[in-house]
């Protein structure tokens, strides 16, 4: 690893703008923005993927490897990524910093506590939770209805037993009421942190957050409770983006960590804006498949930040295509042309969807050992028929050198004269049901939307409060276009069930909860934590 001061210097960042966290990671001071804000923006490239499978697609890996490859090809490139959450790192996924020769480092630090940003979000969120219950206990001047508190608690760990809890048990502990925990990445404070433009905007957004309703049914916000200044104090360092590097010394801004299945799934606007001033090209990612992360990147993040992506890279693998064609996980290394061709319907659907935003698409075929040349050629040929460029990526095994073909294809795409114009999918002027319907019909290819009684009551509140201007953040299974995880490939004609709708007024969107999605994951039968080992010198094994 290079010293982070050296990485910063090569990226054009003066050392006076660094707030060092040891030798290899740093916060970027707001003073840097004053120095670079007049510079022209680079081109923004989104890396997304087909629907995820148990075999893994390598979206973060490809983002890192592509950034390295572009730099090797002479294009000054900065990557902008999300911070890993402890829950998945110690649960199902393990580390989330890439792999092989395309990693961001120091990986152990980034995967665990990093610079404390997620812990700060947890603290600020739970401070508000505590102040709400204390306010009710101390006389309830605001007249909060204890049964209509919508603000839960959070922790950065998968713990299904905390999804539903009862608070206030025992004498002198306040009113008994039902509540629950979310994972920190689903906290509205995480969304606010990622969508704010500066500390002042953060404070305004925190103040708008809905905590519940009073006895007359009127909304009560965090500002009314007097919690905003203290929450901002806990978040004042977390709002600053973090600078790290890849194994090849490419600068990477890592900031914010919302999930894309239950939140908006994109790294921070602040971090992205810094990166755009520092690089000719910025390679970023959005979580899970393009039906979730990419749609929210386009409709929420880009709209709120005034950004316009120049291209999208869709990551596919031979294994994931065969899985979508019906092949079980333990048979994915076996040749199966029929399943491969069938599973390509998933890739084709995502390509079609990305085109609806006016963004040119490049397919990255993430190469795994065992992929046959004939299978890869089938994917390339399918892309050719769709008039979409494709390139094989070998960045896991070869680092930047293994992504040069991909980088060259991307350069061609970025330099085309007939650049299409980006536009979000829906107009803000549409009401909430119309926005939901447009996403369901045009991105998921569903036929209809069924609102539960709880969702209908939420829509009535939205109507009464005049909140139809909010954007829509779909909470949906990542494994299928539908709300049914086992409905693979490219299903259509289904009815999407909306279980409830919650309001994130600080973030500026309504969270639409579909199917059986939960905002507090559980640990798998064999958590990744069981494989983690640490020696007497403090070196970790089993995390990445």
């Amino acid at each position: 690893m290079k010293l982070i001061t050296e990485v910063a210097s090569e990226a054009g960042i003066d050392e006076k703008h660094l707030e060092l966290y040891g030798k290899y990671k740093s916060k970027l001071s707001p003073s840097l923005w004053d120095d670079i804000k007049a510079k022209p923006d680079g081109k923004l490239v989104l890396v997304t993927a087909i629907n995820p499978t148990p075999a893994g697609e390598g979206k973060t890996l490809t983002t890192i490897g592509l950034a390295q490859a572009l730099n090797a090809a002479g294009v000054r490139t900065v990557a902008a990524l999300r911070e890993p959450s402890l829950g998945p790192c110690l649960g199902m996924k393990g580390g989330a910093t890439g792999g092989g020769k395309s990693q961001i480092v120091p990986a152990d630090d980034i995967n665990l506590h990093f610079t404390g940003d997620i812990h700060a979000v947890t603290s600020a969120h739970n401070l508000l939770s505590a102040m709400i219950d204390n306010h009710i206990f101390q006389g309830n001047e605001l007249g909060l209805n204890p049964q209509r508190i919508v603000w839960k608690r959070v922790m950065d760990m998968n713990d299904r037993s905390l999804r539903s809890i009862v608070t206030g048990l025992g004498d002198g502990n306040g009113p008994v009421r039902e509540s629950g925990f979310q994972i920190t990445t689903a906290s509205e404070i995480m969304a606010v942190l990622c969508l704010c433009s500066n500390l002042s905007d953060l404070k305004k957004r925190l103040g708008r957050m809905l905590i519940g309703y009073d006895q007359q049914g009127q909304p009560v916000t965090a500002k009314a409770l007097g919690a905003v200044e203290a929450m901002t104090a806990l978040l004042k360092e977390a709002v600053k983006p973090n600078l790290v590097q890849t194994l090849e010394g490419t600068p990477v801004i890592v900031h914010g960590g919302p999930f894309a299945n239950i939140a908006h799934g994109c790294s921070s606007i602040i971090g992205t804006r810094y990166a755009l001033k520092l690089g000719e090209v910025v390679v970023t990612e959005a979580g899970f498949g393009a039906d979730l992360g990419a749609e929210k990147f386009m409709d929420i993040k880009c709209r709120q930040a005034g950004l316009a992506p120049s291209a999208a890279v869709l990551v596919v693998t031979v294994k994931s295509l065969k899985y979508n064609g019906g092949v079980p996980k333990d048979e994915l290394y076996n040749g199966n042309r029929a399943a491969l061709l069938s599973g390509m319907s998933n890739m084709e659907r995502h390509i079609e969807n990305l085109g609806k935003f006016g963004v040119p698409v490049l397919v990255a075929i993430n190469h795994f050992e065992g992929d046959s040349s004939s299978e890869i050629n089938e994917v390339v040929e399918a892309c050719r028929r769709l008039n979409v460029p494709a390139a094989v990526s070998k960045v896991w095994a070869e680092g930047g050198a293994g992504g040069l073909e991909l980088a060259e294809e991307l350069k061609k795409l970025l330099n085309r004269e007939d650049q299409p114009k980006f536009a979000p999918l829906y107009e803000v002027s549409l009401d909430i049901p119309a926005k939901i319907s447009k996403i369901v019909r045009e991105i998921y290819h569903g036929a209809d939307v069924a609102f539960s009684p709880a969702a209908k009551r939420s829509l009535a509140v939205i109507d009464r409060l005049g909140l139809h201007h909010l954007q829509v953040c779909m909470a949906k299974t990542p494994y299928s276009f539908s709300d049914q995880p086992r409905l693979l490939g490219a299903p259509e004609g289904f009815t999407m069930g909306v279980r409830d709708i919650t309001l994130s007024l600080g973030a500026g969107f309504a969270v639409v909860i579909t199917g059986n999605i939960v905002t507090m994951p559980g640990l798998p039968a064999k958590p990744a934590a069981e494989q983690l080992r640490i020696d007497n010198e403090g070196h970790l094994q089993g995390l990445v």
Side-chain angles (χ1 to χ4, degrees):
M1 281 187 288
K2 297 178 180 179
L3 295 175
I4 199 63
T5 50
E6 183 180 351
V7 175
S9 177
E10 292 173 355
I13 302 171
D14 192 287
E15 189 171 347
K16 68 183 180 182
H17 300 306
L18 301 180
E19 299 178 9
L20 299 175
Y21 280 64
K23 297 179 180 179
Y24 305 110
K25 53 188 186 291
S26 177
K27 287 282 185 184
L28 295 175
S29 169
S31 63
L32 173 61
W33 182 250
D34 295 329
D35 272 13
I36 63 177
K37 63 184 179 183
K39 292 183 178 182
D41 282 351
K43 293 184 177 180
L44 183 59
V45 175
L46 173 69
V47 177
T48 184
I50 66 172
N51 289 96
T53 71
E57 284 59 59
K59 180 161 43 61
T60 303
L61 168 82
T62 303
T63 304
I64 297 165
L66 177 57
Q68 293 182 148
L70 285 166
N71 272 307
V75 181
R76 191 174 72 256
T77 304
V78 178
L81 299 175
R82 293 170 298 156
E83 303 178 34
S85 164
L86 278 178
C89 283
L90 298 176
M92 182 177 294
K93 291 177 65 175
T97 51
K101 292 186 177 181
S102 292
Q103 296 185 46
I104 52 173
V105 288
D108 290 348
D109 291 359
I110 297 168
N111 278 314
L112 296 180
H113 304 291
F114 199 21
T115 57
D117 293 350
I118 294 181
H119 296 319
V121 171
T122 302
S123 297
H125 185 113
N126 289 334
L127 168 66
L128 181 56
S129 302
M131 290 182 70
I132 292 168
D133 284 321
N134 184 62
H135 181 87
I136 296 172
F137 179 77
Q138 301 292 353
N140 198 5
E141 182 180 345
L142 294 173
L144 277 164
N145 182 343
Q147 305 310 316
R148 295 202 66 192
I149 303 297
V150 298
W151 192 260
K152 296 185 178 183
R153 287 166 166 79
V154 298
M155 64 183 296
D156 189 28
M157 188 55 59
N158 296 2
D159 192 345
R160 64 174 57 82
S161 64
L162 294 178
R163 289 172 183 165
S164 298
I165 64 170
V166 177
T167 65
L169 295 176
D171 292 339
N173 294 328
V176 175
R177 66 179 184 88
E178 294 184 15
S179 186
F181 273 78
Q182 300 172 306
I183 193 164
T184 300
T185 47
S187 167
E188 185 181 355
I189 295 180
M190 177 63 81
V192 163
L193 180 75
C194 289
L195 292 170
C196 73
S197 55
N198 50 43
L199 191 66
S200 175
D201 186 36
L202 173 71
K203 188 182 295 188
K204 291 176 183 176
R205 287 173 176 270
L206 292 174
R208 295 200 301 265
M209 294 188 311
L210 179 70
I211 62 173
Y213 298 87
D214 64 18
Q215 300 290 353
Q216 285 72 48
Q218 294 303 305
V220 180
T221 64
K223 182 178 180 180
L225 199 67
V228 173
E229 295 294 333
M231 286 192 292
T232 307
L234 290 172
L235 295 165
K236 68 181 181 67
E237 298 302 314
V239 78
K240 302 171 185 176
N242 309 289
L243 180 67
V244 290
Q245 62 186 298
T246 73
L247 287 173
E248 297 179 10
T250 293
V252 183
I253 293 177
V254 179
H255 196 214
F259 292 169
N261 61 333
I262 53 179
H264 77 287
C266 303
S267 62
S268 76
I269 287 175
I270 294 176
T272 303
R273 284 179 172 160
Y274 275 56
L276 286 167
K277 299 298 182 182
L278 296 169
E280 296 173 275
V281 172
V282 173
V283 184
T284 190
E285 62 157 357
F288 289 116
D291 56 318
L292 286 169
E295 184 271 315
K296 295 171 185 178
F297 175 84
M298 310 288 187
D299 281 326
I300 296 176
K301 178 177 177 176
C302 287
R303 195 197 305 263
Q304 292 199 23
L307 300 173
S310 297
V313 176
L314 182 71
V315 180
V316 308
T317 69
V318 168
K319 294 191 297 180
S320 63
L321 293 172
K322 287 191 288 190
Y323 186 86
N324 270 283
V327 175
K329 181 182 176 182
D330 57 359
E331 297 178 16
L332 290 176
Y333 280 108
N334 301 332
N336 192 326
R337 184 173 183 268
L340 178 66
L341 294 176
S342 174
M344 283 186 198
S345 62
N346 190 270
M347 176 185 75
E348 292 167 1
R349 172 76 59 80
H350 285 295
I351 292 172
E352 176 191 348
N353 286 346
L354 289 168
K356 293 178 180 178
F357 297 97
V359 177
V361 180
L362 166 63
V363 171
I365 305 169
N366 183 22
H367 184 271
F368 279 71
E369 186 179 0
D371 290 348
S372 72
S373 57
S374 62
E375 289 174 324
I376 290 174
N377 289 338
E378 290 276 14
V379 182
V380 172
E381 179 60 25
C383 293
R384 188 194 64 77
R385 290 194 298 270
L386 295 168
N387 199 29
V388 171
V392 177
S393 173
K394 297 183 177 181
V395 297
W396 187 91
E398 301 174 17
L404 287 175
E405 179 189 348
L406 184 64
E408 290 301 325
E409 289 294 336
L410 179 60
K411 286 167 63 178
K412 293 177 189 176
L413 209 59
L414 295 176
N415 293 329
R416 282 188 349 189
E417 293 183 3
D418 59 331
Q419 289 291 334
K421 290 199 172 183
F422 163 74
L425 181 71
Y426 56 79
E427 297 293 332
V428 175
S429 58
L430 294 176
D431 63 23
I432 296 294
K435 290 169 186 170
I436 296 170
S437 180
K438 195 167 183 70
I439 294 171
V440 169
R441 293 176 187 276
E442 296 202 24
I443 300 298
Y444 307 156
H445 288 229
D448 201 3
V449 181
F451 294 97
S452 73
K456 290 178 180 177
R457 288 193 294 270
S458 296
L459 285 173
V461 171
I462 289 169
D463 195 53
R464 176 170 63 85
L465 298 177
L467 297 174
H468 286 291
H469 66 278
L470 294 173
Q471 294 159 8
V472 165
C473 181
M474 301 295 290
K476 179 185 76 70
T477 176
Y479 303 113
S480 171
F481 279 105
S482 73
D483 56 356
Q484 304 165 53
R486 296 182 181 179
L487 204 55
L488 304 178
E492 55 187 6
F494 53 85
T495 296
M496 177 73 70
V498 174
R499 199 169 82 244
D500 203 357
I501 302 172
T502 62
L503 298 174
S504 295
L505 302 183
F509 53 64
V511 180
V512 180
I513 303 171
T514 70
N516 295 320
I517 199 76
V518 294
T519 55
M520 169 56 85
L523 291 172
K526 290 288 184 181
E530 293 182 4
Q531 309 305 316
L532 191 62
R533 298 291 181 269
I534 183 166
D535 63 24
N536 292 335
E537 283 72 45
H539 300 128
L540 295 181
Q541 292 183 336
L543 184 60
V544 179

